[in-house]
Amino acid sequence: MSTSIASEHTVPSELKSFLASPKQLLINGKWVNAKSGKTFDVFDPATDDVIAQAAEGNGADIDAAVAAARAAFDGGPWSKMTASQRSRFIWKIGDLIEANADQLAQLETLDNGKPFAVAKAADVALAADMFRYMAGWATKIEGNTIPLNVPYAPGSEFHAYTLKEPIGVVGQIIPWNFPLLMAAWKLGPALATGCTIVLKPAEQTPLSAIRLGELVTEAGIPDGVVNIVTGFGETAGAALASHDDVDKVAFTGSTEVGKLIIGAATGNLKKVTLELGGKSPNVIYDDADIDTAVAGAADAIFFNQGQVCSAGSRLYIQSGIYDEVVAGVSEIASNMKVGSGFDPSTQMGPLVSREQFERVNGYLRAGLDAGAEAAAGGAALDRSGYFVQPTVLKNATPEMSVVREEIFGPVVAAMPFENDNELKTHANDSTYGLAAGIWTRDISKAHRLAKAVKAGTVWINCYSIFDAALPFGGYKQSGWGREMGHAALENYLQTKSVCVNL
């Protein structure tokens, strides 16, 4: 069976005026050109056509944006507002995202390639919810009082307490796989805590961040609180990570770039949080609901074209059901409709860029050359755009690059296991530790494996369930810190202890 192709690709007319207008930088509440005057092309991954030009910010623009954020934090109204006032502004951003849901989803489809229905139901809806969730936390950031017992000051009485204070100016660098949602994950907690921000979107997908900047301004966020600089990682991103007037940098992206961020941050020892790569194990036991597990395993790897850091890219199947599960996932892969995200029948869109297209195809060639067999897919589609077949590889072995390295595409390696001892060894045999999936009817067994696996999120009889209240982040080389939930606030706060001699 071969992958079906969905072909309709019509850019909505309401996007054309947005695309035609200059895509500038947002600095201190004003939309401005890059100081160099340079722009860069923005591509439609479904056609490989240029759809817009965005301002190419560099170090000089980062300097201006950081200065605006610093002024807004030190002297501007944001950090001095009441938490209740900040909360209302943040909630308004969520309302505006919801009111513009169709346009934002269309921008994600056009710029990233994902199906429109997915972008609207997942990316846009979760982004709005993130701002509303964090709006609620703005009024609930509090320290505590601490009774002291100081042995070298007998008879003395002290009143001691802690304050939770915003860390200051934050540099945020977001990826291209969920452009709007990742911006929300970063902006929401930073705004709730009273920080000011310089946001650097991925150069592959700047459009929804630019539109979000317009909505942030419309919501009434004061000038300089949110600044957006589009440009390339090697210039704008590197300048932001190393800037001496930035107090903290938050990055989502590859582990390789995350390590560069850490090095760049050492100049002023700024705080760093990182949400990085993954090579997540997805385990199906022979007592699982097989139909549900097969559908879940397919969704775990083919959702968002496999361009998900927590994708279930290592599929471990108990040996007695191995052939049945591989056949089931392969059948789903072979019948998926791959095409333009604007075609309602599309189930999987293109990869985001030519670079990513070549990377994924390189891994496919390497896996097949090493002896893996394509039970489904295994190659690019012969058409314009960056389309790759959803692929199931069997006969993969632990030393292969398709098993050990993050492909970030719709490619799953399916491997059999006999028992729990063997499984635990294989599941944790990775430099990554972002997520894992477990499919079984035995809830005790599920809990035991969830405890044993070294991963920041474990899904049991489900996969890719995200909520603004549920912390997300990694073990090992999958990152530092957590996104979402109450835990995310700590990324943007510092604790001050106050001690008073009574």
Side-chain angles (χ1 to χ4, degrees):
M1 290 179 287
S2 60
T3 304
S4 302
I5 298 175
S7 59
E8 179 186 345
H9 187 74
T10 304
V11 177
S13 58
E14 53 266 35
L15 285 190
K16 292 179 180 177
S17 60
F18 175 82
L19 295 172
S21 64
K23 298 292 164 284
Q24 298 173 296
L25 314 177
L26 178 61
I27 298 178
N28 202 27
K30 305 292 189 298
W31 291 99
V32 298
N33 293 328
K35 291 183 180 296
S36 68
K38 292 182 179 179
T39 62
F40 63 93
D41 291 335
V42 181
F43 291 88
D44 178 349
T47 62
D48 197 24
D49 293 335
V50 175
I51 52 175
Q53 281 82 35
E56 186 181 333
N58 59 24
D61 303 291
I62 292 294
D63 286 343
V66 171
R70 173 59 60 193
F73 183 79
D74 290 343
W78 190 245
S79 56
K80 295 177 172 56
M81 278 185 187
T82 67
S84 180
Q85 288 172 316
R86 284 203 308 274
S87 176
R88 288 194 292 272
F89 283 115
I90 300 166
W91 188 279
K92 179 65 173 176
I93 298 172
D95 284 347
L96 289 171
I97 289 173
E98 186 173 76
N100 292 273
D102 281 350
Q103 185 191 40
L104 289 165
Q106 289 165 356
L107 284 172
E108 296 295 71
T109 296
L110 184 63
D111 208 7
N112 170 275
K114 64 183 66 188
F116 170 79
V118 171
K120 185 174 180 181
D123 300 55
V124 177
L126 288 171
D129 192 54
M130 185 65 181
F131 282 106
R132 288 168 175 160
Y133 175 83
M134 286 299 169
W137 272 114
T139 56
K140 300 166 187 66
I141 297 169
E142 50 193 35
N144 59 339
T145 57
I146 304 170
L148 298 187
N149 178 25
V150 185
Y152 55 81
S156 297
E157 185 177 356
F158 300 93
H159 173 54
Y161 60 93
T162 59
L163 297 172
K164 292 289 188 179
E165 299 182 337
I167 203 165
V169 175
V170 178
Q172 300 182 323
I173 303 171
I174 60 172
W176 44 256
N177 57 335
F178 295 92
L180 178 69
L181 182 56
M182 294 300 98
W185 280 20
K186 294 286 188 289
L187 289 172
L191 291 172
T193 53
C195 294
T196 58
I197 300 120
V198 178
L199 184 77
K200 208 295 279 185
E203 56 266 30
Q204 296 89 345
T205 54
L207 298 181
S208 61
I210 293 169
R211 182 67 182 116
L212 179 60
E214 295 176 350
L215 299 181
V216 165
T217 302
E218 185 178 343
I221 299 291
D223 293 351
V225 173
V226 175
N227 305 274
I228 298 174
V229 178
T230 54
F232 293 94
E234 306 83 41
T235 50
L240 184 58
S242 63
H243 203 289
D244 283 341
D245 212 19
V246 170
D247 301 303
K248 180 244 168 47
V249 63
F251 170 77
T252 296
S254 71
T255 296
E256 292 76 14
V257 176
K259 293 177 180 179
L260 296 176
I261 297 286
I262 295 169
T266 58
N268 66 341
L269 291 179
K270 59 174 62 67
K271 307 298 187 292
V272 177
T273 52
L274 304 166
E275 199 267 282
L276 304 176
K279 193 70 180 176
S280 299
N282 195 13
V283 178
I284 302 180
Y285 284 100
D286 58 12
D287 64 354
D289 179 323
I290 301 301
D291 290 342
T292 301
V294 165
D299 188 61
I301 187 61
F302 302 136
F303 173 68
N304 207 53
Q305 298 74 253
Q307 297 170 144
V308 183
C309 52
S310 57
S313 54
R314 289 187 293 146
L315 182 59
Y316 293 102
I317 308 163
Q318 202 150 21
S319 56
I321 58 169
Y322 180 78
D323 290 340
E324 179 183 0
V325 170
V326 168
V329 177
S330 299
E331 183 177 8
I332 291 173
S334 297
N335 288 292
M336 289 188 78
K337 289 192 175 180
V338 179
S340 165
F342 289 118
D343 188 325
S345 67
T346 289
Q347 295 171 285
M348 196 180 87
L351 300 179
V352 73
S353 65
R354 179 164 296 282
E355 178 184 11
Q356 189 63 15
F357 176 78
E358 292 172 352
R359 172 186 171 88
V360 171
N361 279 292
Y363 273 109
L364 286 175
R365 289 191 296 271
L368 296 173
D369 288 347
E373 179 185 341
L381 287 175
D382 185 16
R383 57 175 296 182
S384 61
Y386 314 134
F387 294 94
V388 172
Q389 294 174 332
T391 297
V392 179
L393 297 177
K394 62 181 183 178
N395 299 331
T397 54
E399 74 280 0
M400 291 182 184
S401 62
V402 290
V403 175
R404 305 205 65 81
E405 299 175 20
E406 185 177 40
I407 300 173
F408 222 62
V411 182
V412 63
M415 295 162 284
F417 73 92
E418 295 293 336
N419 54 55
D420 270 6
N421 289 333
E422 177 188 346
L423 170 64
K424 290 173 186 177
T425 298
H426 288 313
N428 288 325
D429 183 18
S430 174
T431 59
Y432 299 109
L434 191 56
I438 302 169
W439 303 84
T440 176
R441 288 187 172 95
D442 185 338
I443 198 65
S444 295
K445 181 165 57 180
H447 281 300
R448 286 195 298 270
L449 182 58
K451 185 176 181 180
V453 72
K454 295 179 173 63
T457 297
V458 179
W459 290 293
I460 298 174
N461 294 327
C462 59
Y463 209 93
S464 295
I465 300 301
F466 294 95
D467 187 277
L470 188 66
F472 180 78
Y475 286 23
K476 298 189 280 187
Q477 293 190 40
S478 287
W480 295 348
R482 293 294 179 267
E483 306 279 0
M484 300 194 294
H486 182 217
L489 298 169
E490 292 299 323
N491 298 340
Y492 299 97
L493 292 168
Q494 48 196 352
T495 302
K496 177 181 288 181
S497 296
V498 180
C499 180
V500 182
N501 185 350
L502 299 179

